Amino acid sequence: MESAIIMLDEHTDQATKQMLQHVVERKKKFEALQQKHQMILWITISVTVVFILYLYVYVMVPYSYSFFDMFSAFVNQSNHVFFLLVTMGLFGYLTMVKNKMEKAEKEYQLLRCEIINKSKMLWEKESEWKNRHKVFEMMKKNYDINLYHENK
């Protein structure tokens, strides 16, 4: 469990600490997938641009007089087909990571909204209710998780 969450002794009970810990873990998972998506996106764009430039210089320009000759020149070399498959594979992988990232964001947002909606139950006692803002401020400051409002 995160040290900042453990130090919330008088402000929260153990179940609430677990919920806060889970929302932190889901946010970290979402951010990691977001970073991975960004990296794969730039790799995919780079590989695609290099592939298009390569095709332009070595296939389109020399064989521009005939589409059939361009197609034949493309298919005759196995490295062209391999490069095309790698590019298509990167696009597929990018889509897969994007879907995982969107799922992780949805899970994170649902748990965050659940904590916001259940805040009256989680901080039932009058003293806990008056001090819940300390928990919210700690979550915002340490983990950039907004528990004040449901909107992103």
Side-chain angles (χ1 to χ4, degrees):
M1 191 174 287
E2 299 284 327
S3 61
I5 295 174
I6 292 172
M7 293 174 59
L8 294 172
D9 288 332
E10 70 277 354
H11 301 298
T12 59
D13 61 346
Q14 192 61 31
T16 306
K17 288 179 186 178
Q18 283 296 327
M19 289 180 77
L20 295 172
Q21 178 64 31
H22 287 302
V23 79
V24 168
E25 289 170 0
R26 296 220 175 130
K27 171 131 188 198
K28 286 181 180 179
K29 179 182 176 184
F30 164 65
E31 288 175 342
L33 284 169
Q34 193 174 29
Q35 195 173 35
K36 183 177 183 180
H37 176 263
Q38 194 74 19
M39 181 186 68
I40 293 170
L41 176 68
W42 284 110
I43 290 171
T44 303
I45 289 171
S46 301
V47 167
T48 303
V49 167
V50 168
F51 182 53
I52 290 172
L53 288 174
Y54 174 82
L55 285 180
Y56 181 75
V57 171
Y58 292 103
V59 175
M60 292 179 154
V61 171
Y63 302 102
S64 62
Y65 55 87
S66 169
F67 177 77
F68 180 73
D69 288 340
M70 275 194 290
F71 184 75
S72 295
F74 178 77
V75 175
N76 283 340
Q77 290 192 12
S78 61
N79 62 344
H80 293 164
V81 177
F82 175 74
F83 208 18
L84 178 66
L85 290 175
V86 167
T87 305
M88 289 171 51
L90 279 171
F91 274 112
Y93 187 59
L94 179 68
T95 304
M96 185 180 79
V97 171
K98 181 171 174 48
N99 290 339
K100 282 184 178 182
M101 181 189 73
E102 288 173 351
K103 182 182 175 189
E105 180 183 22
K106 185 178 177 183
E107 289 174 354
Y108 158 66
Q109 293 295 341
L110 285 173
L111 186 56
R112 189 182 67 80
C113 290
E114 182 180 346
I115 291 173
I116 293 168
N117 292 333
K118 288 184 175 182
S119 64
K120 287 186 180 180
M121 290 176 10
L122 296 173
W123 291 278
E124 287 181 306
K125 297 176 187 171
E126 186 70 26
S127 62
E128 289 177 348
W129 181 256
K130 288 181 181 177
N131 290 321
R132 78 186 188 288
H133 70 280
K134 293 177 183 175
V135 175
F136 291 1
E137 287 173 7
M138 182 277 300
M139 293 297 286
K140 181 70 176 164
K141 180 181 157 196
N142 293 358
Y143 307 108
D144 195 29
I145 297 174
N146 184 1
L147 295 177
Y148 291 105
H149 304 287
E150 286 188 38
N151 294 342
K152 294 180 187 178

